[in-house]
């Protein structure tokens, strides 16, 4: 037997395990009541870790560990978003609020800077202990780093809107995300293969990604999921 704990309202996903207590599993949901509601009506709904809005489904059976899965409205069972920082950088360089943000809150990443050329970010918000994100270019595995840097969609959807006076709350001094991986690609246009494995090496996701990857600062300009209540 074991104990599975579900909690919420951290505005980010978090799955915890302990070698000292191997039968206790903790799953913190981004929000127990919904995922998320802070962005503007005509902007993509994202949580504090950049995860997409969706629903979590549970299956409880006596004598067995509860099973659950999270399904986003846009991506379904795909629990990650991939960024081509060459394209993200174009949006950063066009947005005047980014210049203000860098002056006032320099802990934010400026993805318009040349140091991010040909870099790719993967925000794998549903990461569990032992999961690994891999990226391949022309069959060669790229060096990856679990870096905790910020998700550009969230920065545009929240902090840029605060600086532009469209959200009446204080801005964040930085937006470190718990499960963002960064990779340095060799060129700007070659396709990439993304593979995500669990702690036992089993493939959870595999996808071939064509580049360049377009970046819409509005997060694909999705309509509000709840247009009357937000």
């Amino acid at each position: 037997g074991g104990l599975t704990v579900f909690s919420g309202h951290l505005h980010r996903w978090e799955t915890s395990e302990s070698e000292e207590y191997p039968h206790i599993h903790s799953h913190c949901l981004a929000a127990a009541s919904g995922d998320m509601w802070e962005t503007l009506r005509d902007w993509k709904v994202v949580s504090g870790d950049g995860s997409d809005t969706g629903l979590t489904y549970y299956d409880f059976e006596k004598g067995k560990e509860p099973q659950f899965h999270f399904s986003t409205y846009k991506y379904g069972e795909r629990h990650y978003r991939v960024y081509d920082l060459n394209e993200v950088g174009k949006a950063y360089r066009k947005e005047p609020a980014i210049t203000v943000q860098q002056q006032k809150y320099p802990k934010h990443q400026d993805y318009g800077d040349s140091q991010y050329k040909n870099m790719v970010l993967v925000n794998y918000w549903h990461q569990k202990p032992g999961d690994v994100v891999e990226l391949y270019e022309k069959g060669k595995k790229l060096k990856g780093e679990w870096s905790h840097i910020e998700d550009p969609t969230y920065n545009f959807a929240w902090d840029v809107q605060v600086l532009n006076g469209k959200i009446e709350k204080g801005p964040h001094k930085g937006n470190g995300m718990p499960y963002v991986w960064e990779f340095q690609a060799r060129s700007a246009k070659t396709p990439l293969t993304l593979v995500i494995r669990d702690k036992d090496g089993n493939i959870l996701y595999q996808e071939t990604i064509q580049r360049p990857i377009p970046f819409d600062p509005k997060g694909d300009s999705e309509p509000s999921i709840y247009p009357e209540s937000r």
Side-chain angles (χ1 to χ4, degrees), residues 12-168:
R12 61 182 60 198
W13 284 88
E14 185 176 280
T15 299
S16 302
E17 296 178 355
S18 169
E19 293 183 359
E20 188 175 359
Y21 303 102
H23 300 299
I24 298 179
H25 307 278
S26 174
H27 304 284
C28 184
L29 316 180
S33 59
D35 180 24
M36 234 329 253
W37 55 86
E38 287 191 330
T39 46
L40 294 171
R41 182 183 295 271
D42 59 340
W43 281 68
K44 184 178 184 64
V45 185
V46 292
S47 191
D49 57 0
S51 59
D52 281 286
T53 187
L55 297 172
T56 305
Y57 301 88
Y58 302 89
D59 184 11
F60 296 93
E61 186 175 346
K62 187 176 180 180
K64 295 184 178 180
E65 182 180 344
Q67 300 298 310
F68 75 100
H69 69 275
F70 175 65
S71 179
T72 69
Y73 291 112
K74 178 174 176 58
Y75 298 115
E77 297 299 313
R78 198 188 86 174
H79 298 150
Y80 58 87
R81 192 183 307 112
V82 183
Y83 293 105
D84 181 340
L85 292 191
N86 291 334
E87 299 302 304
V88 172
K90 295 176 183 178
Y92 269 64
R93 289 189 290 272
K94 289 180 181 178
E95 174 54 61
I98 294 295
T99 301
V100 177
Q101 185 180 64
Q102 285 297 303
Q103 292 171 348
K104 291 186 174 182
Y105 311 106
K107 289 184 179 180
H108 285 272
Q109 272 74 38
D110 180 4
Y111 291 129
D113 191 88
S114 60
Q115 67 175 304
Y116 297 104
K117 181 180 179 181
N118 293 341
M119 287 185 63
V120 177
L121 298 186
V122 180
N123 186 351
Y124 175 39
W125 54 75
H126 216 234
Q127 183 170 318
K128 300 177 181 63
D131 286 2
V132 176
V133 179
E134 301 171 349
L135 205 61
Y136 296 83
E137 184 178 20
K138 293 183 177 180
K140 298 190 70 172
K141 185 177 179 180
L142 298 177
K143 183 179 180 181
E145 180 182 2
W146 179 12
S147 62
H148 306 275
I149 60 178
E150 71 184 16
D151 182 292
T153 293
Y154 182 81
N155 189 40
F156 266 88
W158 179 258
D159 282 283
V160 168
Q161 303 315 307
V162 171
L163 291 170
N164 284 332
K166 295 182 178 180
I167 297 179
E168 295 181 358

Side-chain angles (χ1 to χ4, degrees), residues 164-195:
N164 284 332
K166 295 182 178 180
I167 297 179
E168 295 181 358
K169 290 188 178 181
H172 299 101
K173 294 182 179 180
N175 284 325
M177 301 293 170
Y179 302 122
V180 175
W181 293 66
E182 61 177 292
F183 299 86
Q184 180 66 59
R186 295 178 178 85
S187 69
K189 296 182 179 180
T190 52
L192 302 172
T193 300
L194 172 70
V195 178

